[in-house]
Amino acid sequence: MRLVLASGNPDKVREIKEILRDIEVLPLSSFVDEFEIEESGLTFRENAYIKVQKAFELTGLPSLADDTGLVVHGLHGMPGVFSSRFAGENAGYEANRRKLLEALRGMPLSARRAYFICVVAFMEKPGEVRFFEGKVEGFITKEPRGDGGFGYDPIFLYPPLGRTFAELSLREKNRVSHRYRALSRFREYLNESGLSR
Ligand code: IMP
């Protein structure tokens, strides 16, 4: 099976390709030179929908999109859908992490409880979109740890392993992550519906 992936983020593309190893995943950038998708939705679902719809419209092929965010208990759910632009419209990973650590400074452990959520949208036919969700719970550390992963990984502690996501290898992260969990549900759907062949 071939799938178009509506993402220009190479970190995500790498993880998704590794998780869906037996599926041919083609980034949208290999079909169109430049594309800009405005993530104007108010929910992860809406954003995943906007992205998958765009990929399908441009290629006409079965398409997949991933919208992800970090939801922090003590910040009333922020950064949430604003995860990529928490410290400003063009903020990089490091600036976003710094802003988050700053916002949590002095707060108790309970405020540092957080989860990653990943919503995957799949569109195979016009107007037919299915969503798959994966979540993973953890805590925001006081300082970054580890140099693997990307985004908020260095400050996201995964309690069952006692390490941040950035301290895990790609393989290890891809066995437990929000993205792995959402994509496992997607895979189950493909198997059940016979689309994986
Ligand atoms: P989006 O789904 O492209 O809107 O991603 C939102 C932001 O969440 C990204 O810019 C990253 O900072 C962060 N992010 C997404 N996935 C992950 C992940 O697996 N680990 C850590 N941060 C992530």
Side-chain angles (χ1 to χ4, degrees):
M1 175 176 206
R2 289 171 97 201
L3 274 180
V4 178
L5 180 59
S7 178
N9 178 334
D11 296 311
K12 269 192 190 177
V13 174
R14 187 165 37 117
E15 288 190 6
I16 293 170
K17 280 191 162 180
E18 219 265 333
I19 297 168
L20 298 178
R21 233 169 300 149
D22 49 330
I23 294 177
E24 195 183 350
V25 177
L26 306 163
L28 185 53
S29 56
S30 58
F31 292 84
V32 280
D33 284 341
E34 271 182 44
F35 64 93
E36 186 144 350
I37 306 177
E38 204 191 334
E39 295 185 25
S40 52
L42 296 176
T43 62
F44 298 107
R45 255 183 194 233
E46 266 181 80
N47 282 333
Y49 179 81
I50 293 170
K51 293 189 252 190
V52 84
Q53 159 88 24
K54 187 76 180 176
F56 189 82
E57 181 192 309
L58 289 170
T59 65
L61 296 171
S63 300
L64 195 74
D66 154 326
D67 198 63
T68 299
L70 178 63
V71 174
V72 181
H73 188 67
L75 301 178
H76 311 289
M78 286 294 273
V81 287
F82 302 104
S83 292
S84 63
R85 49 202 149 118
F86 189 42
E89 214 41 60
N90 296 310
Y93 293 152
E94 205 192 328
N96 286 332
R97 287 196 295 264
R98 239 184 292 127
K99 174 155 183 192
L100 184 56
L101 292 181
E102 198 49 49
L104 285 171
R105 194 198 288 265
M107 289 215 197
L109 185 64
S110 59
R112 294 180 168 269
R113 247 178 51 216
Y115 63 84
F116 273 120
I117 175 164
C118 174
V119 174
V120 162
F122 173 61
M123 190 162 184
E124 199 222 344
K125 295 189 189 114
E128 250 183 59
V129 180
R130 279 171 200 275
F131 297 96
F132 307 89
E133 201 175 294
K135 263 191 196 178
V136 62
E137 308 251 2
F139 287 91
I140 304 302
T141 56
K142 290 192 172 161
E143 280 170 13
R145 272 167 36 191
D147 41 34
F150 67 98
Y152 297 95
D153 283 344
I155 58 171
F156 183 82
L157 181 81
Y158 179 61
L161 295 176
R163 284 181 276 161
T164 67
F165 267 4
E167 291 176 309
L168 305 183
S169 66
L170 181 64
R171 274 271 165 96
E172 283 173 315
K173 180 182 171 191
N174 284 345
R175 274 202 286 263
V176 296
S177 76
H178 44 299
R179 186 159 293 112
Y180 164 75
R181 289 172 195 196
L183 290 171
S184 298
R185 298 208 161 105
F186 167 59
R187 184 185 289 283
E188 264 168 42
Y189 165 74
L190 287 184
N191 291 342
E192 278 163 16
S193 57
L195 286 170
S196 51
R197 275 169 259 124

